[in-house]
Amino acid sequence: MFERDIESYFDGVLENIDIILDNGFYKDEDKEGLKYVKLKIKDWYKIYKGKNILKGIDPDELKKIDLEITDFFDKYVATESVKENYAERLLFDLGQLETKWKDEMLGGNL
């Protein structure tokens, strides 16, 4: 099985947020939280690229990001088309980043 690299998950989160923000299917008021998420993910990605570690995000920030994306997913998972399941893709890619972040945190890598 092909395993994606960490950067592809960051790229996936950012790409799906951009698609959602530009897509008229999603309500504007539901997009507001994703703008915050995008900024935080970009900051985290920049740290990752510079230090090659995922620990560069505050656990509280990661929790806020997770809640925003989970809430967004809950609103749209049932109504998105199968081919344009951006909320599901967004949740999946973030989930992969969170799993790798947890592994790193528990592994003690600096």
Side-chain angles (χ1 to χ4, degrees), residues 46-93:
K46 185 176 179 180
I47 293 167
Y48 175 77
K49 284 182 174 181
K51 296 183 178 181
N52 202 32
I53 60 169
L54 290 170
K55 291 181 182 182
I57 189 166
D58 181 88
D60 290 333
E61 288 294 333
L62 187 54
K63 184 176 181 176
K64 288 177 190 174
I65 289 168
D66 182 74
L67 288 172
E68 280 294 335
I69 291 177
T70 301
D71 287 347
F72 187 85
F73 173 82
D74 288 344
K75 289 178 184 176
Y76 289 100
V77 67
T79 57
E80 280 184 318
S81 76
V82 174
K83 291 182 180 181
E84 296 180 351
N85 57 343
Y86 301 112
E88 186 174 352
R89 295 177 198 188
L90 183 58
L91 185 67
F92 176 81
D93 286 344

Side-chain angles (χ1 to χ4, degrees), residues 23-54:
N23 193 317
F25 174 77
Y26 306 97
K27 296 178 183 176
D28 287 341
E29 60 267 18
D30 294 335
K31 295 177 184 180
E32 288 305 310
L34 293 182
K35 293 175 183 177
Y36 160 82
V37 168
K38 183 179 176 180
L39 291 173
K40 293 300 177 181
I41 293 292
K42 284 176 115 177
D43 290 344
W44 187 21
Y45 194 11
K46 185 176 179 180
I47 293 167
Y48 175 77
K49 284 182 174 181
K51 296 183 178 181
N52 202 32
I53 60 169
L54 290 170

Side-chain angles (χ1 to χ4, degrees), residues 21 25 32 63 99 101-102:
L21 293 176
F25 174 77
E32 288 305 310
K63 184 176 181 176
T99 298
W101 175 83
K102 287 177 187 174

